[in-house]
């Protein structure tokens, strides 16, 4: 219950398009990202292996396009136990409501939002969450030059 409340507070209230993982949100500028998360390692994309999500450690992956965050993913490391997966899923449902879809093959849940979907895959050996939109898997992450 406390985890769900903290998670709900981490996303802008009432904004159907708001989505963040481990304190990083879609649309955050690259410069602001580097200021907020100096521990991120950025090459083609950015990775923070020290990130936490809902109290669980993992790897935060951030894709950058046009100078801002346009892709987000978080892999729980170590993988969540069944009990932890249920807790994380409950936190998402408390924030986003019932999932629009549940995939029977991989156990992933999806919540539709304006411009994309929130995906949570914490069953059947999977342990990740991400933002899925037209950028997911089809655009390249481009780190801006320091001069930009």
């Amino acid at each position: 219950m406390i985890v769900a409340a903290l998670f709900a507070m981490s996303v802008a209230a009432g904004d159907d398009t708001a989505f963040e993982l481990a304190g990083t949100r879609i649309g955050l500028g690259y410069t602001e990202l580097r200021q907020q998360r100096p521990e991120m390692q950025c090459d083609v994309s950015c990775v923070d292996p020290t990130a936490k999500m809902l109290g669980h450690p993992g790897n935060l992956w951030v894709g950058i396009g046009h100078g801002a965050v346009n892709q987000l993913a978080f892999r729980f490391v170590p993988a969540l136990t069944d009990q932890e997966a249920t807790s994380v899923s409950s936190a998402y449902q408390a924030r986003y409501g019932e999932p629009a879809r549940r995939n029977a093959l991989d156990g992933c849940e999806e919540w539709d939002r304006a411009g994309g979907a929130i995906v949570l895959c914490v069953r059947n050996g999977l342990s990740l969450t991400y933002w899925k939109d037209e950028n997911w898997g089809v655009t390249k992450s481009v780190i801006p030059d320091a001069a930009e």
Side-chain angles (χ1 to χ4, degrees):
M1 195 65 106
I2 292 172
V3 169
L6 290 173
F7 183 57
M9 291 186 303
S10 74
V11 181
D15 185 351
D16 189 43
T17 62
F19 181 64
E20 72 174 45
L21 290 175
T24 302
R25 66 178 166 70
I26 295 289
L28 181 69
Y30 175 73
T31 301
E32 189 178 359
L33 171 71
R34 297 299 289 154
Q35 289 170 346
Q36 288 182 4
R37 302 187 83 95
E39 67 281 3
M40 286 208 109
Q41 304 159 5
C42 296
D43 187 13
V44 173
S45 57
C46 297
V47 178
D48 180 358
T50 67
K52 288 196 176 219
M53 175 77 176
L54 297 173
H56 301 283
N59 294 315
L60 175 64
W61 178 85
V62 178
I64 306 294
H66 304 288
V69 173
N70 70 352
Q71 300 177 67
L72 277 174
F74 184 89
R75 190 176 119 226
F76 296 95
V77 178
L80 299 176
T81 65
D82 287 343
Q83 183 177 4
E84 291 168 334
T86 298
S87 175
V88 168
S89 179
S90 294
Y92 269 58
Q93 288 181 43
R95 171 64 179 120
Y96 303 115
E98 284 295 311
R101 286 171 299 291
R102 284 189 173 99
N103 186 326
L105 289 175
D106 58 19
C108 294
E109 300 168 297
E110 293 190 22
W111 290 263
D112 292 327
R113 290 291 179 264
I118 299 160
V119 181
L120 177 67
C121 302
V122 291
R123 307 275 185 229
N124 302 327
L126 298 174
S127 208
L128 64 119
T129 184
Y130 60 95
W131 172 254
K132 179 175 79 172
D133 65 5
E134 71 277 357
N135 292 314
W136 187 253
V138 296
T139 60
K140 292 182 180 178
S141 178
V142 180
I143 301 301
D145 290 334
E148 288 183 33

